Amino acid sequence: MTTEHIVTSYEDELASLDSKIAQMGGLTETLVAQAFDALCKGDVASANNVILDDAKIDEFELEIEEQAVTMIARRQPMALDLRQIMVAIKITSDLERIGDLAKNIARRSIAVANEDHRTTLRGIERMGQAVSRLLQVALDAYQRREPVTALSVLDQDEDIDSHYNSLLRSMLVFVAEEPDQLHTRSNFIFIVKNLERIGDHCTNIAKVVHFIATGLQVGEAETLIRPQPE
């Protein structure tokens, strides 16, 4: 077997790993969007589909981790390639957790599906849309290995945190004013917490994208790649 053939085969394995992460990321995006849509529409059937499809995310995680470990054992990659493989494992873990959070939102949406909460849902809608966009941007940054885009994820997550804090305060006020609605309000509190946690996992993805693209942790040389005001 020639050296060229070995290198080509290894590059094919890295490309295969990237392809699987792209598929896993696309499915994760779909589950987050479907869970949020099920919540807003009170669609129990769609929520149940999210719960069932989360198993596919878990399967992707196992498959990608097994391939990554095999590549490390067989190829003994140099530093740069090893970094790419370890980043793949890290991103896969974050995507699996996002899938779990989407499943949790779907379960909570079933619990409140038969009640009229249009006012509360209007408050959550903007946050949910922002979280969906953030996940898309984070995955795009990974596919393009784009550090500037990765840094924008961190900036946008601050807006999501602001939404979360505002919604949490208002919901706690509702709980105090309507203690008989505690169970229902607690479901919404957990929903917005799950959305906030998805944002956190998006920032985790963005940070490892920044690292693989620059070799630097976020903050070490951020001014070198973040656009500066003219």
Side-chain angles (χ1 to χ4, degrees):
M1 183 179 293
T2 65
T3 301
E4 180 181 357
H5 179 77
I6 293 173
V7 171
T8 301
S9 177
Y10 184 47
E11 290 175 350
D12 288 345
E13 289 182 25
L14 285 174
S16 172
L17 201 63
D18 254 3
S19 176
K20 289 176 182 176
I21 291 173
Q23 293 176 62
M24 184 181 183
L27 178 57
T28 306
E29 284 186 74
T30 298
L31 291 192
V32 170
Q34 286 181 345
F36 183 62
D37 193 54
L39 170 67
C40 292
K41 294 179 179 178
D43 189 339
V44 173
S46 182
N48 280 321
N49 287 336
V50 171
I51 294 168
L52 292 174
D53 285 346
D54 179 61
K56 298 177 183 177
I57 298 288
D58 296 338
E59 290 172 6
F60 265 118
E61 181 188 30
L62 290 174
E63 186 176 345
I64 291 169
E65 286 185 352
E66 287 176 2
Q67 180 175 342
V69 170
T70 299
M71 288 175 67
I72 293 172
R74 289 177 54 215
R75 300 293 186 179
Q76 299 182 350
M78 300 297 289
L80 177 59
D81 289 336
L82 179 60
R83 191 164 75 200
Q84 292 187 61
I85 295 171
M86 297 308 296
V87 162
I89 294 173
K90 179 65 178 70
I91 288 177
T92 298
S93 175
D94 280 304
L95 289 174
E96 189 276 334
R97 287 295 302 127
I98 291 172
D100 285 345
L101 291 164
K103 179 174 65 176
N104 290 344
I105 291 171
R107 284 175 172 165
R108 298 282 178 179
S109 73
I110 292 172
V112 299
N114 295 322
E115 302 174 43
D116 185 359
H117 297 290
R118 280 172 288 185
T119 302
T120 302
L121 288 174
R122 279 197 294 270
I124 296 174
E125 187 172 6
R126 187 181 172 195
M127 182 179 180
Q129 291 171 343
V131 167
S132 292
R133 286 195 301 269
L134 194 66
L135 177 58
Q136 182 180 21
V137 172
L139 291 172
D140 285 347
Y142 173 69
Q143 289 299 317
R144 292 182 285 136
R145 306 297 197 269
E146 177 50 68
V148 173
T149 305
L151 288 177
S152 76
V153 172
L154 274 63
D155 293 336
Q156 293 174 58
D157 185 54
E158 293 178 3
D159 184 46
I160 289 173
D161 289 341
S162 177
H163 280 307
Y164 169 68
N165 289 328
S166 177
L167 285 168
L168 184 61
R169 283 194 297 269
S170 64
M171 288 180 184
L172 290 175
V173 169
F174 286 141
V175 168
E177 293 177 347
E178 302 175 343
D180 58 314
Q181 295 293 314
L182 176 60
H183 177 70
T184 299
R185 295 297 180 186
S186 66
N187 280 314
F188 283 113
I189 289 172
F190 279 112
I191 285 169
V192 296
K193 179 59 181 176
N194 287 333
L195 287 171
E196 189 266 341
R197 289 294 297 136
I198 290 174
D200 288 344
H201 285 288
C202 290
T203 64
N204 289 346
I205 293 172
K207 287 176 182 178
V208 296
V209 170
H210 181 280
F211 177 68
I212 195 174
T214 67
L216 299 168
Q217 301 289 345
V218 170
E220 288 182 342
E222 202 170 306
T223 56
L224 297 178
I225 61 172
R226 187 188 289 273
Q228 298 298 305
E230 296 181 358

